[in-house]
Amino acid sequence: MSTAGCGARDLTVSSALPERAGSWRASPLKRFEAAAISVAGYRLVAALGATLRWRTEGLEHFDEIAASGRRPVMAFWHGRILPATYYFRRRGIVVITSENFDGEWIAGIIERFGYRTARGSTSRGARKALRQLTRDMRAGRAAGFTLDGPRGPARVAQPGAVWLAKATGNPILPFHLEADRHWTLNSWDRTQIPKPFATVAIAMGEPIEVSRETDQEGLQAVRRTLEGRLGGLEDRAHEMLRA
């Protein structure tokens, strides 16, 4: 899923930044490294994912949105990106990945899982990435957002998903994943990596609609509602694992 939560307030950036972001491409060694990491990372995630067991709740919301002729703006926290990437694979979901070196190998992994990518982030290329997401959604594809990515602060929703929902008329679909056995990385987002043969609970909430007439104050209210909804879904995912 998306590694960036870009939004309207992030769209003004220095003209020098995109050049620096892609400077690593001039190095054949760095391009080889990105490709190698992508292949190895895909194989590791695929092998781990094949061992996982799943408990799900609320996935009918995804199907109901599709049946209505629309597509969801899928929204979750950055710290759950690994199990989300595996579970929602092969659905043609479009996500944002950064234009830097890390974004390149991440894109290589998720594209092997059947995702499409729009390149940009909260700090670089945001306007271009959001335009691409808008076009992809109008062409019938779902979008995925890690709301607090790529650098946080953790559990604070950036405005990109809300902006995209307003621009396209598609609803935001919040969800949370939780593993009963996992490793937690010492990273800003406390990334959770399920252990082999873990059970992962997915709690998906009701869609959140954003009217095209919503003003800036209304968008902020939706963003706060989204944060609260995800907190409730996290509690529900823990309950599902205890059942």
Side-chain angles (χ1 to χ4, degrees), residues 52-59 76 80 83-84 87-88 175-182 192 194 198-204 233-243:
L52 300 177
R53 294 164 292 185
W54 305 90
R55 295 181 183 175
T56 64
E57 181 177 281
L59 294 185
F76 67 110
R80 301 299 184 267
Y87 187 82
F88 290 103
F175 65 96
H176 184 81
L177 305 93
E178 202 70 34
D180 64 346
R181 296 184 300 110
H182 59 269
Q192 186 180 101
T199 297
V200 181
I202 304 177
M204 185 170 283
L233 291 171
E234 181 174 1
D235 291 341
R236 180 56 189 154
H238 282 289
E239 291 173 0
M240 291 165 64
L241 292 175
R242 291 194 294 268

Side-chain angles (χ1 to χ4, degrees), residues 60-243:
E60 68 273 8
H61 296 307
F62 185 101
D63 297 330
E64 289 167 359
I65 293 170
S68 73
R70 298 190 294 171
R71 294 294 181 267
V73 179
M74 304 180 70
F76 67 110
W77 296 129
H78 195 275
R80 301 299 184 267
I81 195 168
L82 192 152
T85 296
Y86 186 81
Y87 187 82
F88 290 103
R89 67 197 186 280
R90 315 294 178 209
R91 298 171 189 250
I93 297 170
V94 185
V95 302
I96 294 177
T97 58
S98 299
E99 296 179 300
N100 59 19
F101 175 77
D102 287 346
E104 182 69 12
W105 61 259
I106 290 170
I109 292 173
I110 63 178
E111 287 171 356
R112 286 176 168 82
F113 280 110
Y115 293 88
R116 293 169 61 94
T117 57
R119 304 308 292 270
S121 72
T122 53
S123 56
R124 301 184 179 98
R127 188 183 300 276
K128 178 182 70 174
L130 283 169
R131 283 200 301 262
Q132 182 62 52
L133 278 177
T134 301
R135 288 193 294 267
D136 284 333
M137 293 208 81
R138 287 173 177 165
R141 296 185 179 276
F145 268 89
T146 52
L147 293 170
D148 51 351
R151 293 190 301 271
R155 306 301 178 94
V156 175
Q158 302 298 321
V162 179
W163 183 93
L164 186 64
K166 175 184 176 179
T168 63
N170 289 303
I172 301 170
L173 187 59
F175 65 96
H176 184 81
L177 305 93
E178 202 70 34
D180 64 346
R181 296 184 300 110
H182 59 269
W183 296 286
T184 300
L185 302 186
N186 187 26
S187 56
W188 67 267
D189 61 350
R190 306 294 291 169
T191 290
Q192 186 180 101
I193 301 177
K195 293 183 177 181
F197 303 99
T199 297
V200 181
I202 304 177
M204 185 170 283
E206 294 183 358
I208 299 173
E209 301 283 352
V210 184
S211 168
R212 295 180 188 273
E213 286 71 44
T214 305
D215 60 15
Q216 190 62 35
E217 183 176 347
L219 293 176
Q220 287 298 319
V222 174
R223 187 185 63 80
R224 291 190 294 269
T225 296
L226 183 55
E227 289 179 351
R229 191 75 60 84
L230 282 168
L233 291 171
E234 181 174 1
D235 291 341
R236 180 56 189 154
H238 282 289
E239 291 173 0
M240 291 165 64
L241 292 175
R242 291 194 294 268

